[in-house]
Amino acid sequence: MSQAPQPTAFIDIDWVGRPISIEYQWIDSEDQQAPLMIFLHEGLGSVSMWHDFPQLLCTELGYRGLVYSRPGYGQSTPRAHQEQWGMDFMHRQALEVLPALLDALYIDANHQPIWLFGHSDGGSIALLHAACFTEQMAGLIVLAPHIMVETLTIDSIKQAKVAYEQTNLRDKLGRHHNNPDSAFWGWNKRWLHPEFEAWSIEEEIKAIQCPVLAVQGVNDEYGTLEQIRGIARRVPQTQLLELADCRHSPHRDQPAALIQHVKTFTARQSG
């Protein structure tokens, strides 16, 4: 029987010598033998911005879930005022922060491989983690991930900057982030830095060995379908799902359809 998500909790990790407090939440965690799915949020996301989707999905699948806010987001340790994310900020989240969190929570992915469910930047982070920790992965579901930088993406992020400065977007983000400036400017300034136009993980993802479901809305304002089609060309076991009447957030725009496709996909892998 499904249970309500546990209250948000905090755990300290050592991020390459830097102490960080991470906000996290367990979902349906009583059955320790159930598969574990870890949710990786978008570039402006957090635990609370997932709303009830992780609970709905885990209940439908019979999985445990772990949702967390990356450093700089939600109620986790914010980005220092003058700190700028580097070109490798998604790599560091995938290869340093997530492994440190797994260790801190005593999650042994070598004993029981994990599922990753990533959205947008979180999808890119999930791809990078899966490419490096191949033996620890049961499967990967990515929504609107980025594998390279497109003009459409940059144009939309420029529009977000205007909205943050001129509308109530900052107040809206303040409902989900202890420090909305930490979340917004860490993301926005890195994506709009001229050097970031050359960012790409197209070669790195070729190392992924686990099953992949790559999902994108046909009307995604932050990326073209070339993002997930590019994954499929490089990771041949990828299954594509292109959703009509759907923008950048399939779990918000088409939740029922997405849950059904994920259920079919995961059942096929375990079958």
Side-chain angles (χ1 to χ4, degrees), residues 5 17 41 50 66 68 74 105 109 111 116 123 136 163 168 171 211 219-220 242 252:
H41 62 72
W50 283 106
L66 174 65
Y68 75 99
L105 292 173
H111 175 70
L116 294 182
Q136 299 181 5
N168 65 344
D171 293 336
N219 311 113
D220 191 339
E242 299 174 3
R252 299 186 192 120

Side-chain angles (χ1 to χ4, degrees), residues 70-261:
R70 297 192 293 274
Y73 296 91
Q75 307 304 310
S76 294
T77 299
R79 177 182 56 87
H81 178 64
Q82 297 299 328
E83 180 181 7
Q84 301 293 324
W85 296 138
M87 282 279 291
D88 62 348
F89 78 102
M90 284 189 266
H91 288 76
R92 297 196 66 193
Q93 295 294 330
L95 309 182
E96 297 172 1
V97 173
L98 181 53
L101 178 63
L102 297 180
D103 287 345
L105 292 173
Y106 300 102
I107 296 171
D108 184 358
N110 289 306
H111 175 70
Q112 186 180 25
I114 58 175
W115 285 85
L116 294 182
F117 188 106
H119 174 221
S120 194
D121 283 16
S124 304
I125 293 166
L127 290 165
L128 287 166
H129 186 88
C132 184
F133 298 94
T134 57
E135 299 301 318
Q136 299 181 5
M137 294 297 306
L140 185 61
I141 298 157
V142 289
L143 314 183
H146 307 284
I147 62 170
M148 63 350 191
V149 178
E150 296 181 291
T151 301
L152 175 64
T153 311
I154 298 303
D155 289 345
S156 291
I157 293 175
K158 287 178 179 178
Q159 293 174 20
K161 179 178 184 290
V162 174
Y164 193 79
E165 294 173 330
Q166 299 182 8
T167 73
N168 65 344
L169 177 58
R170 186 180 188 277
D171 293 336
K172 290 181 178 179
L173 289 176
R175 303 170 191 166
H176 301 282
H177 303 281
N178 181 47
N179 186 331
D181 288 341
S182 165
F184 185 84
W185 293 119
W187 165 78
N188 193 266
K189 289 183 177 179
R190 173 43 53 198
W191 270 95
L192 295 185
H193 195 289
E195 291 182 358
F196 201 67
E197 293 180 7
W199 178 88
S200 168
I201 60 172
E202 294 165 282
E203 291 302 310
E204 290 165 89
I205 64 174
K206 292 179 179 179
I208 294 173
Q209 298 178 13
C210 67
V212 180
L213 175 62
V215 185
Q216 191 158 14
V218 172
N219 311 113
D220 191 339
E221 68 274 31
Y222 281 95
T224 73
L225 293 170
E226 178 57 28
Q227 298 285 351
I228 62 170
R229 292 173 182 176
I231 295 172
R233 288 198 302 273
R234 294 166 176 85
V235 185
Q237 70 273 24
T238 298
Q239 177 178 323
L240 296 182
L241 173 59
E242 299 174 3
L243 291 169
D245 300 318
C246 182
R247 288 165 62 86
H248 188 57
S249 302
H251 58 298
R252 299 186 192 120
D253 292 351
Q254 297 281 357
L258 177 60
I259 287 173
Q260 187 56 51
H261 279 285

